[in-house]
Amino acid sequence: MSTLALLARNRLALAGLIVMGLVVLLALVTPLLPLPDPDVTDTGNRFLPPFSEGALLGTDHLGRDQLSRLLWGTRLSLAVGFAAATIAAVLGAAVGIIAGYYGGRVDNLIMRGVDMLMAFPYILLALAIVAALGPGLLNALIAVAAVNIPFFARNIRGITVGIANREFIDAARLAGMNDARIILSEVLPNVIPVIVIAMSTTVGWMILETAGLSFLGLGSQPPQADLGSMLGEARAALITSPHTSVVPGAMILIIVMAINLLGDGVRDALDPRLRSGALTRPMAATLVRREDPAPEPQGDDVLSLCDLQTQFHVKHRVYRAVGGVSLGVKPGECLGIIGESGSGKSVTALSVMGLVASPPGVITGGAVHYKGEDLVGAPYGRLRDLRGREVAYIFQDPLATLHPLYKVGDQLVEAIRVHHALSDSEARARALGLLRDVRIPNAESRLDSFPHELSGGMRQRVGIAMALANDPEVIIADEPTTALDVTVQAQILSLLDTLRREKGLAIVFITHDFGVVAQLCDRVAVMYAGRIVEEGPTRALLEAPAHPYTRRLIACVPELGEGKRRLHAIPGLPPAVNDLPSGCAFAPRCDKAQPACRQGEIALDAYGPRRLRCLYPETELEGTA
Ligand code: ADP
Ligand code: MG
């Protein structure tokens, strides 16, 4: 969504924008308006009340036209406020970036100086600066800007420190860029949003500070009007002619309110984290909108999906990520789900426990039976009770799923204590047992390691230990070895295999790699564009793939000892799930496709232990359809 559209959605910010726009417009056109000279005194007409002849807002103690003074004063106050904010932002950001980027002694020196400035009450500091430079609007501007530099410097330094050690800065350095270029082209674009945000929230404050100095007689000098000096001069007549104070006072109130509302809105709209959907918090469980009644549970599978359909509703578009998937897994069995990236494997897995983010995710049909209980549409409390305790997940990147700031032992203890009322020491003992179960060397000392101190393989072992923490019946592993190298992958696979044999775990193993499937899975289901196209016992399916898509997926796997062989990539790309072709979704990429493949629904037929969704299979399957 565009920044402006986001801003417009925020009513208060929009109101602030409109009011501020009007004030700025008025300030800009002031010289063109038919106003009397703001500085001409007319002592005969002192303290005229508002709405008098020739003086809409009355006159002040010297008979000067209040309206004219107000508009000219607003113009001046705005200019000084914005100028001070810009100066403070530029200098403060420069100081902050330099301190944050170079770090070490430079950082220490600069930031201690900034700390010293911040140790003074800001108005005292501003007073001291004006006292040293002498009164006058320009000096007030300098004072206000100087007082606000530390605020920007601190903010920007914090952001820069976070950026300065990131990989893209290292990459820029390796590319031979010098510091100045890195700061300008790599660091600055990342901090500019923060600078703008800090500015938008402080301009109002600076206008107030300038007005404060003028009020004390240290800013604009008579006869020149700014909002602060108008207030200051009106002070003596506060009781007898209140309008002289109310007029500039109300204007200050309006300006500062409008700027602050607008600033808050700008911050919300510019913050990339808020923008990427943090403002629309996902619901605790995936939204369920089932038209048809839920199918009944069948068979003795511990977990079975029945015609599951999960979609993403983004504005008017509907993405059919999972278009009717039926699968089952028995205790002690390992079911592989294989398919190209984007074929809907993860969404299927996440739908089981209602973990697909809503909005935009919606489960629109089918059922997920866990031991006969339908989890689709189960109350959130029930899902939470089952999550992790009965059905646990292992994800691809353990570095992203482990909290970076807690020791792995504490994270394991937390996972255990969510479902079990154990004392700290009992839970810790259990965590230790888990780390031993997943064969982490020196488990005892590893409990006190942080995630970044472990290797990728060890981290994934911790991920598996966490999944095992509550003795689940089913583990859903979503590409758990994709981020690991082949030797570590083999260790993790054999670990999972042992665990399921020892504990009778049912495993749903998602991957895009047939080699992995062959090592671990009893059965495998091949997914394409959100549907299962073929399923069967691993051996049979690998030896005689029936669906052209399966055959070509297998042909993509290099084999050792097979001599030189051309690897056949599948031409074309999987279809977009918001615009699926009718008939077989693979037909556009299939070299055996016939006209019949492109129309009507093609059923997933059962042939003995195998299932196939294809009209012209590679091999004839035994058994009746
Ligand atoms: P994979 O098989 O690689 O795990 P996914 O299950 O993650 O694939 O994704 C399946 C499909 O759902 C993809 O086509 C993806 O573009 C789509 N999808 C996933 N999340 C969203 C979302 N938030 N909005 C729209 N489409 C999505
Ligand atoms: Mg995935």
Side-chain angles (χ1 to χ4, degrees):
M1 201 180 291
S2 79
T3 307
L4 263 182
L6 266 179
L7 198 60
R9 234 179 27 178
N10 182 341
R11 294 259 174 86
L12 283 174
L14 189 65
L17 180 67
I18 292 172
V19 172
M20 215 37 230
L22 284 177
V23 173
V24 169
L25 189 73
L26 266 181
L28 288 179
V29 301
T30 299
L32 308 176
L33 296 180
L35 291 169
D37 188 325
D39 298 335
V40 167
T41 57
D42 176 9
T43 33
N45 288 319
R46 299 172 66 212
F47 292 127
L48 282 186
F51 306 112
S52 320
E53 178 78 39
L56 196 56
L57 292 181
T59 56
D60 69 357
H61 64 292
L62 296 175
R64 296 175 293 197
D65 182 57
Q66 282 269 77
L67 180 63
S68 171
R69 283 184 76 73
L70 178 75
L71 291 184
W72 282 99
T74 302
R75 197 175 143 87
L76 200 58
S77 285
L78 283 182
V80 173
F82 279 106
T86 311
I87 294 172
V90 170
L91 293 182
V95 168
I97 289 178
I98 289 171
Y101 180 76
Y102 288 102
R105 202 171 291 164
V106 179
D107 182 29
N108 241 329
L109 210 70
I110 294 183
M111 290 328 281
R112 293 305 77 78
V114 165
D115 285 346
M116 263 157 63
L117 278 182
M118 280 188 120
F120 290 99
Y122 72 93
I123 195 77
L124 211 64
L125 191 60
L127 282 175
I129 295 174
V130 174
L133 299 178
L137 201 54
L138 191 65
N139 293 343
L141 189 159
I142 293 171
V144 171
V147 165
N148 283 292
I149 286 176
F151 168 79
F152 282 94
R154 276 223 153 273
N155 254 332
I156 302 303
R157 174 197 169 265
I159 307 288
T160 312
V161 166
I163 293 172
N165 295 318
R166 296 269 291 277
E167 288 78 357
F168 66 89
I169 300 287
D170 291 344
R173 235 178 241 135
L174 289 175
M177 288 196 199
N178 60 18
D179 284 344
R181 247 191 86 200
I182 295 179
I183 287 180
L184 288 180
S185 66
E186 308 288 327
V187 179
L188 193 60
N190 279 293
V191 296
I192 277 187
V194 185
I195 299 177
V196 172
I197 289 164
M199 253 182 93
S200 66
T201 46
T202 46
V203 169
W205 181 17
M206 298 205 200
I207 291 178
L208 268 186
E209 285 171 8
T210 323
L213 287 179
S214 290
F215 178 82
L216 297 176
L218 301 169
S220 81
Q221 298 300 305
Q224 193 181 40
D226 84 342
L227 294 174
S229 64
M230 283 177 74
L231 260 186
E233 287 167 2
R235 189 176 37 177
L238 188 61
I239 307 295
T240 49
S241 304
H243 72 272
T244 49
S245 337
V246 168
V247 166
M251 185 52 111
I252 291 179
L253 181 78
I254 290 171
I255 291 177
V256 175
M257 281 286 284
I259 289 186
N260 284 347
L261 290 179
L262 179 61
D264 280 354
V266 168
R267 187 196 54 210
D268 290 354
L270 273 188
D271 190 323
R273 280 162 306 174
L274 297 180
R275 211 174 165 149
S276 65
L279 287 177
T280 53
R281 236 164 72 92
M283 303 181 345
T286 312
L287 192 70
V288 175
R289 231 183 274 138
R290 244 186 334 204
E291 313 262 297
D292 304 323
E296 287 299 311
Q298 291 165 344
D300 54 354
D301 294 334
V302 52
L303 180 75
S304 77
L305 317 188
C306 191
D307 197 28
L308 182 71
Q309 294 165 34
T310 306
Q311 308 180 339
F312 294 98
H313 293 183
V314 184
K315 290 199 185 138
H316 323 290
R317 289 189 299 267
V318 173
Y319 296 85
R320 292 186 173 72
V322 180
V325 165
S326 301
L327 283 173
V329 58
K330 296 185 175 47
E333 189 186 33
C334 179
L335 168 74
I337 300 181
I338 191 165
E340 279 170 285
S341 177
S343 52
K345 309 179 299 287
S346 296
V347 178
T348 307
L350 293 173
S351 301
V352 169
M353 280 282 130
L355 291 171
V356 178
S358 285
V362 188
I363 297 182
T364 51
V368 174
H369 293 115
Y370 175 74
K371 291 185 173 168
E373 177 185 354
D374 188 8
L375 299 183
V376 172
Y380 171 58
R382 180 68 186 145
L383 279 179
R384 196 178 48 195
D385 191 40
L386 292 176
R387 283 178 186 172
R389 188 165 65 87
E390 301 286 326
V391 179
Y393 284 85
I394 306 170
F395 293 103
Q396 177 176 340
D397 181 6
L399 194 55
T401 42
L402 291 172
H403 195 300
L405 300 183
Y406 289 109
K407 297 174 181 159
V408 295
D410 295 341
Q411 301 192 49
L412 278 167
V413 165
E414 188 185 22
I416 295 167
R417 300 219 323 191
V418 169
H419 290 293
H420 296 279
L422 292 182
S423 75
D424 237 347
S425 58
E426 283 168 324
R428 217 178 138 79
R430 214 185 127 85
L432 185 61
L434 284 168
L435 287 189
R436 293 213 170 105
D437 279 351
V438 296
R439 321 265 190 292
I440 286 200
N442 305 331
E444 199 112 18
S445 61
R446 283 308 178 190
L447 274 181
D448 290 320
S449 298
F450 288 97
H452 65 265
E453 294 170 339
L454 305 180
S455 70
M458 276 200 258
R459 278 199 290 264
Q460 193 53 291
R461 282 165 200 262
V462 173
I464 296 174
M466 273 176 113
L468 293 173
N470 295 293
D471 273 328
E473 304 278 320
V474 181
I475 286 194
I476 300 178
D478 190 350
E479 311 212 22
T481 58
T482 307
L484 306 176
D485 61 63
V486 198
T487 42
V488 180
Q489 168 172 314
Q491 292 168 5
I492 297 278
L493 291 182
S494 90
L495 170 68
L496 281 173
D497 201 42
T498 323
L499 287 172
R500 83 165 155 132
R501 287 184 206 289
E502 281 172 2
K503 306 192 183 219
L505 278 172
I507 299 184
V508 178
F509 195 96
I510 296 173
T511 177
H512 55 254
D513 185 349
F514 261 115
V516 173
V517 169
Q519 275 183 58
L520 184 67
C521 301
D522 307 308
R523 254 180 332 118
V524 55
V526 183
M527 268 188 94
Y528 188 77
R531 317 184 85 179
I532 291 176
V533 294
E534 179 168 10
E535 191 203 328
T538 309
R539 264 199 93 86
L541 191 136
L542 282 176
E543 277 166 11
H547 199 287
Y549 178 59
T550 318
R551 179 181 60 84
R552 307 200 61 167
L553 265 188
I554 293 175
C556 293
V557 182
E559 273 177 67
L560 281 181
E562 285 276 296
K564 274 194 189 158
R565 181 168 68 96
R566 279 186 68 140
L567 289 181
H568 296 279
I570 309 178
L573 290 172
V577 287
N578 60 338
D579 187 20
L580 289 175
S582 71
C584 175
F586 186 62
R589 302 168 74 190
C590 181
D591 47 11
K592 302 185 75 180
Q594 307 284 329
C597 296
R598 299 181 200 272
Q599 45 193 266
E601 171 80 18
I602 296 165
L604 185 64
D605 292 324
Y607 303 84
R610 296 181 65 169
R611 292 193 292 163
L612 177 66
R613 194 193 292 278
C614 183
L615 298 179
Y616 303 99
E618 300 275 337
T619 38
E620 287 302 325
L621 294 177
E622 304 284 316
T624 46

